[in-house]
Amino acid sequence: MRISQNKLAYIEEAGLMFEKLGMTRMTGRVLGYLLVCDKDAVTFDQILETLKASKGSVSNSTRQLIQIGFIEPVTFPGDRKTYYRMSDIEIDEILRNRMKLFSDFSSVLAKGRSVKERDDAVSKWLLEASVFYSWVESQIDEVIERWQQEKESIMNQHLEKKS
Amino acid sequence: MRISQNKLAYIEEAGLMFEKLGMTRMTGRVLGYLLVCDKDAVTFDQILETLKASKGSVSNSTRQLIQIGFIEPVTFPGDRKTYYRMSDIEIDEILRNRMKLFSDFSSVLAKGRSVKERDDAVSKWLLEASVFYSWVESQIDEVIERWQQEKESIMNQHLEKKS
DNA sequence: TATTTTGTTCAATACATACTGAACTTAGTA
DNA sequence: TACTAAGTTCAGTATGTATTGAACAAAATA
């Protein structure tokens, strides 16, 4: 049973997307495959074959994805293979991680201000920008909390809109 | 008048930060220099010398930064040089641009669901995740609006906290 | 018009890093 | 214990792209 052309195309798309997000293309492909494979779990070999990639490359990608928490290894008694499947990671986790970039960015801006030797329009901008980014970060925390509380209702609202 | 060691170190830091954000290191350096140079505007040559980079590289970086709107060229009558300075870009603009990634990400997730041939836990996750990201995007729009309205009071709150 | 100054363009290079493939480790099976 | 299967590691290669530097363009000056 070979995988559909559709899905292969999707896997490539996922690879490019994850590359844009700063991960490797191959890691994106493996995740894309796990997302759309329509199997409960897949073996290392299945990944190899489907993506036509090397063992080493797949080994790196699975490790990275496990580390981030996107996927998890599964094993079965009487079967020495390791299977991989999507873990039931909460989506807001992923966002929360990415938001760390904001506080880094905010710090760099703040530090810039401290390096300056005169107080000018740029100083003012640096202050404002660093406050803005750390404020936004705190607001996003609140947004995420609201999501957790109102998830069902938001989902329903969204589905209604489509009909 | 040579630039301080402090500032040079900061410029490198800015380079690394902007590299993390997907721009080139040199572009980050040029922006870092413009931020902390404590001059109203600097010439192409000053950038060259300070960063010890090539004309081509600086030319690329300034063009890129002008394009994004971070810096602007300035000229003066009787002076054939072009000067560059920070433009008074609104910080929320920058955030708004980055948020486009979210709708892209959301689309990829939604597309993944449409490629699947069975309705399982992953399908459910894909739906939830794509709704989540487009919802978050809309929430951030609201956050930005609130910033525009309450900017002064937020800044004051922040400054009080520090004291 | 010839010359000098300022900045751009583009082919070549340098650099970083993702990927490969072979050798190795680990653990189950005979 | 020897053998086989599954996955990892790592040195080398391939690939993409940032940077350089030389040649060029544009425009002011003499």
Side-chain angles (χ1 to χ4, degrees):
Chain A
M1 182 64 181
R2 284 180 55 241
I3 191 169
S4 74
Q5 209 55 42
N6 259 351
K7 290 184 179 179
L8 284 175
Y10 180 73
I11 288 166
E12 290 308 308
E13 208 172 319
L16 293 173
M17 181 77 227
F18 275 77
E19 199 172 34
K20 267 210 277 187
L21 295 175
M23 314 177 61
T24 77
R25 195 177 292 182
M26 190 61 78
T27 299
R29 286 200 191 100
V30 172
L31 183 62
Y33 177 44
L34 272 275
L35 282 171
V36 300
C37 64
D38 290 322
K39 299 182 198 312
D40 292 337
V42 299
T43 65
F44 195 88
D45 279 346
Q46 283 177 302
I47 300 176
L48 275 192
E49 280 173 40
T50 308
L51 305 187
K52 290 175 184 7
S54 68
K55 279 178 164 195
S57 188
V58 171
S59 178
N60 277 329
S61 295
T62 51
R63 182 152 35 80
Q64 202 178 344
L65 288 169
I66 289 167
Q67 157 107 35
I68 306 171
F70 270 111
I71 72 172
E72 57 191 12
V74 220
T75 52
F76 299 99
D79 186 344
R80 62 168 82 173
K81 287 193 185 77
T82 305
Y83 292 73
Y84 301 94
R85 69 172 176 214
M86 292 300 301
S87 66
D88 45 6
I89 184 178
E90 293 294 326
I91 33 194
D92 45 308
E93 268 310 298
I94 305 165
L95 180 60
R96 221 187 286 276
N97 286 335
R98 283 202 77 74
M99 285 309 119
K100 282 176 195 150
L101 268 180
F102 277 47
S103 51
D104 291 355
F105 190 54
S106 173
S107 306
V108 170
L109 293 169
K111 182 159 182 192
R113 185 155 175 271
S114 77
V115 168
K116 282 176 68 61
E117 288 160 329
R118 72 176 200 182
D119 193 19
D120 54 17
V122 174
S123 295
K124 197 181 156 221
W125 187 88
L126 282 168
L127 174 60
E128 213 176 280
S130 70
V131 172
F132 174 68
Y133 278 98
S134 65
W135 179 76
V136 166
E137 201 191 3
S138 72
Q139 294 296 301
I140 287 175
D141 281 347
E142 288 180 24
V143 166
I144 291 175
E145 272 177 43
R146 193 155 68 252
W147 165 261
Q148 285 163 342
Q149 285 161 10
E150 303 174 17
K151 189 165 141 179
E152 282 80 15
S153 113
I154 295 168
M155 289 294 295
N156 287 336
Q157 271 181 346
H158 183 87
L159 297 178
E160 277 165 29
K161 233 191 312 181
K162 295 276 157 179
S163 62
Chain B
M1 181 67 180
R2 283 182 55 242
I3 192 168
S4 75
Q5 210 55 42
N6 258 351
K7 290 184 180 180
L8 283 175
Y10 179 73
I11 288 167
E12 290 308 308
E13 207 171 320
L16 292 173
M17 181 77 228
F18 276 78
E19 199 172 34
K20 268 209 276 187
L21 296 174
M23 314 176 62
T24 78
R25 194 178 293 182
M26 190 60 77
T27 299
R29 286 200 191 100
V30 172
L31 182 63
Y33 178 45
L34 272 274
L35 281 171
V36 301
C37 62
D38 289 324
K39 298 182 198 314
D40 292 337
V42 299
T43 66
F44 195 87
D45 278 347
Q46 283 177 302
I47 300 175
L48 275 192
E49 278 173 41
T50 309
L51 306 187
K52 289 173 183 13
S54 68
K55 281 176 161 195
S57 190
V58 171
S59 178
N60 277 329
S61 295
T62 50
R63 183 153 32 80
Q64 203 179 343
L65 288 168
I66 289 169
Q67 157 109 35
I68 306 171
F70 270 111
I71 72 172
E72 56 192 12
V74 220
T75 54
F76 299 98
D79 187 343
R80 62 169 84 173
K81 288 193 185 79
T82 305
Y83 293 73
Y84 301 92
R85 69 172 175 214
M86 293 300 302
S87 66
D88 46 4
I89 183 176
E90 293 294 326
I91 32 195
D92 46 307
E93 267 311 297
I94 305 164
L95 180 61
R96 219 187 287 277
N97 287 335
R98 284 204 77 73
M99 284 309 119
K100 284 177 193 149
L101 269 180
F102 277 47
S103 52
D104 291 354
F105 189 54
S106 173
S107 306
V108 170
L109 294 169
K111 182 158 183 190
R113 184 154 176 272
S114 78
V115 168
K116 283 176 68 63
E117 288 160 328
R118 72 176 200 183
D119 194 18
D120 53 16
V122 175
S123 295
K124 196 180 155 221
W125 187 88
L126 282 168
L127 174 60
E128 213 176 280
S130 69
V131 172
F132 175 68
Y133 278 98
S134 64
W135 180 76
V136 165
E137 202 192 1
S138 72
Q139 295 296 300
I140 288 175
D141 280 346
E142 288 180 23
V143 166
I144 292 176
E145 272 178 44
R146 192 154 70 253
W147 165 261
Q148 285 164 340
Q149 285 161 11
E150 304 174 17
K151 189 165 140 179
E152 281 80 17
S153 111
I154 296 168
M155 290 294 296
N156 287 336
Q157 271 181 346
H158 183 87
L159 297 178
E160 278 166 30
K161 233 191 311 180
K162 294 276 156 176
S163 63

